[in-house]
Structure formats: structure tokens, C-alpha cells
Amino acid sequence: MWNQNRVSRTLGIEYPILQGPFGGNLSSVKLVSTVSNLGGMGGYGAYMLTPDEIVALDKELKQATDKPYNINLWISDTDFPAGEVSDEQFAKAAALVKPFFDELGAPLPAKPKAYPSRFENQVDALLAAKPPVFSFIFGVPSQTILEDFRKKGIKLIGNATTLDEAIALDNAGVDVIIASGFEAGGHRPSFLESPEASLAGTFVLVQQIRDKVKTPVVAAGGIADARGVAAALTLGAEGVQIGTAFLATEESGASTYHRNLLHSDAARYTTLTKVSTGRLGRGLRSRYTETIAGHNDELLPFPLQNQFIVPLRKAATEKQQYDLIMFWGGQIAPVLKHTSAKKLFETIVEEVPNYLFAPR
């Protein structure tokens, strides 16, 4: 009974297989409910949503599944909470991308304005909605916030990219810790040191955390099939979080082009870069990422960089010049086989015992 352990019991799920909660409109109610209804746990990245949108989302999820699911927020959702960047800093960032706007015939946007963190208001909305599970990245909420969720019976999942971060989450009393290796697609959710200094691989990180921390560990990064699940469990994880493989299925919120790209030879080549949003994250290489590579110091801080190039992504999409966009994806993409989340999940569940219990 490989699937019965502390993670599955704590979260109330049949199989300790979690779907990565994608932000930026890449999550979908259909994907979340599909994974949850199959006995895993779907996840929705809500860091861009307003409080009202979070409440509405939770209602949709409750209508789509009566099984546990996870809503994810970013604790640190801005690197520039007050004031504005200088005109000199903006000029440097604008100079990097102006040739792309010119190529697309799109006007260069004005300097974006900073906005305060939305996290506390989003937390209030989550507490009102009462999802079964609340996961968070880029930090550890205050004990007051954590206790508010505990009082409502909401399980807590934190994300760690280093052993020190896992110890901090363990000390805070979370229910489950995600060990997020550098192989994973999307943003690096580091919070004690810079993401550039927090690049442990998934299987190294799982072993470090399992040996030093009492909270059950879920492995994330570089896992897309039963082989990866079995390897993670063998090394001490009690569950897995799968991102890229679910992102590449038809149930996700990713565009058809993005999903097809993850199943193509282009997925062999990924990069860790800040050029898309101003925070370090892994995506597929493109002409855009390669041209701006090495200019991290000239980018706007998160989320201003992201706001600034939204019109570029929109114009590139309209003109189908997809090489001017960075699409999120992890290093495991070249082994992807399934375009159906249901088929992916069922195949993993069926094949895991073959790897865990095969005669040696």
C-alpha cells in the first residue's frame, strides 16, 4: 500500500500525488477537479486573483469536486512594495525590450507603477472560503495567520528550496513540506537566501529534509511518471508534486501552443532566468530569453518587469511570434507522454508498484 502514508492521511487523499498549483492563468478548475476526483490533490495558483475572485474560484472548485484541493498564494508578491523605480532604471529596462516592441509594431509601454502586497487581503478571502488546503510559497506566514487557518481545519503546505527553509517551515508547524528542486518549471520560491543560492536538486533536497525534519516531505521538480514517483518515495518523500506533466495536458489552462511546445523537441532546452517577470524561474528557451540573457541587473524588479512586458506577450501572441515569449516548463518535459491528465494520473498509479516492488 505505497499510497497510504502521512501525506495521504493528513490531506485526506487516496494517492499522495499533488498537481502543481500554476499561477498566471495556467491553472484551471477542470484540471484541479480531475486530479482531486481521481484521488490525488489538485492545486490552483491564485496569487494574481482579487479577494472576490478567490471566493468565486473556491465556489467553482467546491461545485466541481467534493474531494480535497489546494489553493496557493505567494506570501511575498512584490519586490518593490512602495514608490517607483528611477527614470534611469526604467530606461535601461526599456532599452532591452524596445527592439522586440518595434519588431511587433507595438508601442513601448509607460513606466509601470508599484502596488502594495495583496497577500493579507487574499488570506482573508481564503479564510472566508475555507478550502481544504492552503499552500504558500516565498516565505512563512505569521503564526497568527497559521493559527487562523488551523482553527478552520484547513491544512497547511509550505514550500522549501533549502534545508534551512524546511527547518523554518517545520518550526512553524505546517502539515506538509514541498521540497522544490531546481529542475522544476516556474518560479523558484526561495525566501531565506537568494534563489541563485538555493539551487539544490530535488532528490538531494528530499534526503536532506527527511533526515533533519519531522514534517512529511513531498518531492517536486523533475517528476513526471511512475519512475520519478517511485524514486522520490524510495529516497524518503511521502508524496510528489507534479507540475510540468500536468501543465502539458489538455485540462490545464495553458494555451494549445504552450502544451504542444512542452511535447516538442524545444522542451529539451530550458533556462533559469529573470527576464520574464523579474524573479528567477525556469522556462523554455526562446529568442527573447537568449537575447536578454546576462542582463538581470537591468531588469525591473518583480512584479514591474512582468507588468511591463505583458503587452509584448500579447502582441507576440496575436502575431504568432512565439519566440518572443518565454513559456514555463521544467527539465523533465522531454519525457512527457500524455496529453490527458486522467490518463497521466491513472498510468502513474498503475505503474508505481512495478518500480517500487520489482524483484531485484
Side-chain angles (χ1 to χ4, degrees), residues 101 103-107 255 257 310-325 327:
F101 279 95
E103 180 179 340
L104 292 167
S255 67
Y257 183 87
V310 163
L312 177 66
R313 296 191 199 109
K314 182 178 179 182
T317 300
E318 289 174 350
K319 297 196 173 183
Q320 298 186 3
Q321 289 189 227
Y322 297 113
D323 59 343
L324 299 185
I325 302 172
F327 292 94

Side-chain angles (χ1 to χ4, degrees), residues 51-61:
D52 287 345
E53 288 171 336
I54 288 173
V55 172
L57 164 68
D58 187 76
K59 288 180 180 177
E60 282 191 70
L61 290 170

Side-chain angles (χ1 to χ4, degrees), residues 265-276:
D265 286 344
R268 297 177 185 177
Y269 311 104
T270 67
T271 181
L272 273 173
T273 180
K274 291 184 176 181
V275 301
S276 184

Side-chain angles (χ1 to χ4, degrees), residues 274-294:
K274 291 184 176 181
V275 301
S276 184
T277 67
R279 278 187 177 173
L280 193 69
R282 184 176 297 283
L284 277 59
R285 293 182 187 175
S286 66
R287 180 159 63 96
Y288 171 74
T289 68
E290 297 308 285
T291 301
I292 304 184

